[in-house]
């Protein structure tokens, strides 16, 4: 695992072409595991580091939202508290039932549901660190971020993503923009998105520009008569000049255009 700060490590895997992160953050009395990736065995390095470093700390597993690349490894943590936003368990069950071919089958071990849920915010005070789990709808109804106030570090789940976010919540635009503006109020120094490198606050502005820009451009194109599948809106119009997209993110952008067309 890669050590990011004195008390934070990340483990990166490839999930269907998307680089994807699980993390471990130690506070004085707790060990937070953020997301469980695609399969229980993906979490082996995290379990090994927990065993080596956590000592008597109480482990808390956090699911940032219900998508398969964030929760399918939950079975690696039997008997642990698994914490998520209130809508997450229902959405995991619905996600498993979906006919959507982009959702893989659950692992043979199954996907244990979160055991602790909350509405807007859940705070673990652990001086000198405090860990806030904050509901941040937009990418999905149940999305949350994990903010470490002492380290000024934000695990963003898929609420923030590099090089561009994936649209996945119906009627998500306004809530997402609202969420992004709220995130700007936090004194964040380092952001760890689930997909993409650790980076600074500029990621929030970049994602806001992309989300609002895509919806506005698609609405204008639709009004002018453009069909669902002939939107000619290259991603570069909504991203900084130096961003180069690979095929996976070009496809994600095309998916976002269609998604926005259906919504506006
Ligand atoms: Zn997601």
């Amino acid at each position: 695992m890669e050590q990011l700060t004195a008390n934070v490590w990340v483990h990166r895997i490839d999930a269907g072409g998307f680089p994807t992160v699980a993390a471990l953050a130690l506070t004085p009395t707790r060990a937070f595991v953020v997301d469980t990736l695609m399969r229980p065995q993906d979490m082996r390095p995290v379990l090994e580091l927990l065993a080596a470093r956590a000592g008597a700390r109480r482990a808390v597993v956090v699911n940032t939202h219900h998508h398969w690349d964030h929760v399918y490894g939950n079975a690696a943590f039997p008997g642990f508290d698994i914490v998520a936003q209130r809508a997450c368990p229902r959405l995991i069950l619905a996600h498993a039932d979906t006919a959507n071919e982009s959702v893989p089958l659950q692992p043979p071990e199954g996907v244990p549901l979160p055991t602790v849920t909350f509405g807007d915010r859940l705070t673990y005070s652990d001086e000198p660190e405090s860990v806030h789990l904050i509901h941040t709808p937009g990418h999905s109804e149940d999305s949350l971020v994990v903010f470490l106030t002492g380290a000024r570090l934000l695990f963003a789940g898929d609420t923030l993503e590099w090089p561009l976010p994936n649209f996945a919540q119906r009627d998500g635009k306004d809530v997402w923009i609202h969420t992004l503006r709220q995130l700007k109020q936090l004194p964040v120094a380092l952001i760890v998105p689930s997909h993409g490198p650790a980076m600074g606050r500029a990621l929030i502005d970049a994602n806001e520009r992309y989300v609002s820009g895509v919806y506005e451009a698609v609405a204008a194109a639709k009004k002018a008569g453009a069909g669902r599948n002939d939107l000619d809106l290259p991603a570069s119009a909504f991203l900084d000049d130096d961003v180069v997209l690979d095929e996976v993110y070009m496809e994600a952008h095309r998916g976002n255009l269609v998604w926005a067309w259906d919504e506006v």
Side-chain angles (χ1 to χ4, degrees), residues 25-223:
L26 301 181
T27 62
T29 66
R30 288 191 173 81
F32 292 87
V33 174
V34 182
D35 281 342
T36 64
L37 304 174
M38 301 164 62
R39 300 166 307 178
Q41 57 264 45
D42 290 336
M43 297 306 289
R44 213 170 278 151
V46 179
L47 284 166
E48 283 166 9
L49 193 63
L50 253 185
R53 300 281 189 141
R57 290 176 179 83
R58 177 166 179 152
V60 178
V61 178
V62 180
N63 287 157
T64 62
H65 62 299
H66 67 285
H67 288 156
W68 59 276
D69 48 334
H70 302 262
V71 304
Y72 271 18
N74 278 1
F77 298 94
F80 288 59
D81 285 342
I82 300 180
V83 186
Q85 204 277 332
R86 192 174 288 148
C88 183
R90 166 175 62 79
L91 292 170
I92 290 177
L93 293 171
H95 202 49
D97 275 345
T98 179
N100 183 344
E101 64 192 20
S102 70
V103 178
L105 287 177
Q106 291 194 350
E109 299 88 343
V111 178
L113 295 177
T115 55
V116 178
T117 63
F118 68 97
D120 293 330
R121 187 185 280 241
L122 179 62
T123 297
Y124 295 87
S125 296
D126 201 2
E127 289 302 323
E129 188 59 276
S130 289
V131 178
H132 300 279
L133 276 50
I134 306 168
H135 183 209
T136 51
H139 167 75
S140 68
E141 192 187 330
D142 62 330
S143 284
L144 65 81
V145 296
V146 181
F147 179 50
L148 279 62
T149 49
R152 297 175 62 200
L153 187 146
L154 185 77
F155 295 109
D158 289 358
T159 298
L160 300 169
E161 181 164 349
W162 180 261
L164 54 86
N166 273 276
F167 298 175
Q169 177 181 347
R170 283 290 159 218
D171 300 317
K173 181 207 166 199
D174 291 341
V175 281
W176 205 343
I177 296 291
H178 180 74
T179 281
L180 294 172
R181 289 183 181 156
Q182 272 187 318
L183 289 182
K184 284 187 208 174
Q185 309 300 315
L186 296 176
V188 173
L190 186 65
I191 298 172
V192 183
S194 291
H195 311 290
M199 52 195 301
R201 305 175 55 88
L203 180 58
I204 308 176
D205 290 319
N207 278 188
E208 182 183 354
R209 182 182 160 210
Y210 179 87
V211 174
S212 59
V214 165
Y215 275 101
E216 275 165 31
V218 170
K222 189 173 177 178
K223 209 171 169 192

